[in-house]
Amino acid sequence: MRFVVENYGESGLARRFGVTRYPAVFVDDVLVATPSDFGFYGRGQNEEGGRYAPLRSAGAHERFRKDLARMIDLLLAGRKDEARSAVAPSRSAQVGALPAFDLVGLDGRPVSRKDLAGRVVLVEFWATWCPPCRGTLAWLGELQKRHAGDLVVLAIAVESEEKDVRLIEAEMGLPLRWAVGTPEVARAFGDVSAVPTLLVFDRAGRAAGAFYGAPPRLHEAAEESVAAAGGGR
């Protein structure tokens, strides 16, 4: 067993999981903790949010030590699948329906559950510092074009400065509903601990799919969820 420190901007593991801010902790290739777990959002720390926040408290340090020790024990015992399940978002953390929320889009229009009613909704949580998010956003833009009128893609930027979000919006020129989120909005949608996180809701607002990170089959699996939710008619 060895301890490795990587530059977060050059880490292959960080790029693979869409986590390129710090601190993030991996045991082997299992993502154990993300910046939001420590209460970090954007350039500052939210003392109320995250599993290990407030970071300066003894209780948070003890929770982190116990969780990390458990992951190490599981992986040393060859129980990697169990370790992944232990740190993956639990079903109880995944919302069963489109939650109530209120945002103002970059275009100045309000965005809420009521505004999206009657259509299949894809909510993409992304960040300006996340390389895999660019590819996912580009694909979602094409998906929106193919199914205009049947679905709406809401791209919510987290841990990002609004000026940087606007630059990417202008650069990519995609027909998405763009907005800057808050930790409270991210928590309303369940366990959003990594980006990209893509959530699919059907026309009745029921949860129809949840995808974390950028696995190889993301596009194919997400399009299957969209079709099943009624977004491909």
Side-chain angles (χ1 to χ4, degrees):
M1 180 175 182
R2 63 193 179 97
F3 178 70
V4 178
V5 178
E6 294 186 334
N7 181 319
Y8 74 91
E10 299 174 352
S11 167
L13 274 176
R15 287 194 297 271
R16 174 180 165 189
F17 284 84
V19 178
T20 53
R21 292 182 77 93
Y22 58 86
V25 180
F26 293 84
V27 179
D28 199 4
D29 63 348
V30 176
L31 178 58
V32 175
T34 68
S36 60
D37 286 323
F38 295 102
F40 284 92
Y41 297 92
R43 299 189 179 185
Q45 185 179 20
N46 181 326
E47 291 291 325
E48 297 180 358
R51 291 184 293 166
Y52 309 122
L55 186 57
R56 289 171 289 186
S57 72
H61 280 244
E62 182 61 23
R63 287 194 300 275
F64 176 63
R65 281 195 294 267
K66 286 183 177 179
D67 287 349
L68 183 59
R70 181 187 177 201
M71 292 301 105
I72 292 172
D73 288 344
L74 287 172
L75 286 161
L76 288 176
R79 296 154 63 186
K80 181 175 286 191
D81 288 343
E82 186 176 340
R84 291 189 192 282
S85 298
V87 296
S90 65
R91 291 190 178 276
S92 62
Q94 296 176 15
V95 292
L98 187 65
F101 68 96
D102 289 290
L103 287 171
V104 176
L106 294 186
D107 58 4
R109 293 187 295 161
V111 187
S112 68
R113 180 173 61 186
K114 180 180 178 181
D115 299 315
L116 306 176
R119 286 178 289 177
V120 173
V121 177
L122 278 69
V123 181
E124 169 77 348
F125 284 93
W126 67 286
T128 55
W129 45 262
C130 165
C133 293
R134 298 289 192 101
T136 303
L137 288 169
W139 161 68
L140 286 171
E142 292 302 316
L143 191 66
Q144 178 70 85
K145 291 176 185 177
R146 294 204 308 270
H147 303 294
D150 284 334
L151 64 83
V152 58
V153 178
L154 175 58
I156 302 179
V158 294
E159 301 182 11
S160 304
E161 299 289 339
E162 182 175 332
K163 61 180 178 61
D164 297 328
V165 177
R166 289 187 178 277
L167 284 174
I168 290 178
E169 177 201 21
E171 174 189 325
M172 300 192 78
L174 302 172
L176 310 176
R177 297 290 301 274
W178 300 84
V180 177
T182 64
E184 291 73 25
V185 168
R187 284 194 289 270
F189 279 86
D191 190 344
V192 181
S193 58
V195 288
T197 286
L198 177 63
L199 305 175
V200 182
F201 301 91
D202 68 14
R203 294 177 184 275
R206 296 171 299 215
F211 306 91
Y212 302 93
R217 285 194 72 252
L218 171 63
H219 298 183
E220 180 183 352
E223 291 203 36
E224 291 172 358
S225 291
V226 169
R233 68 182 191 185

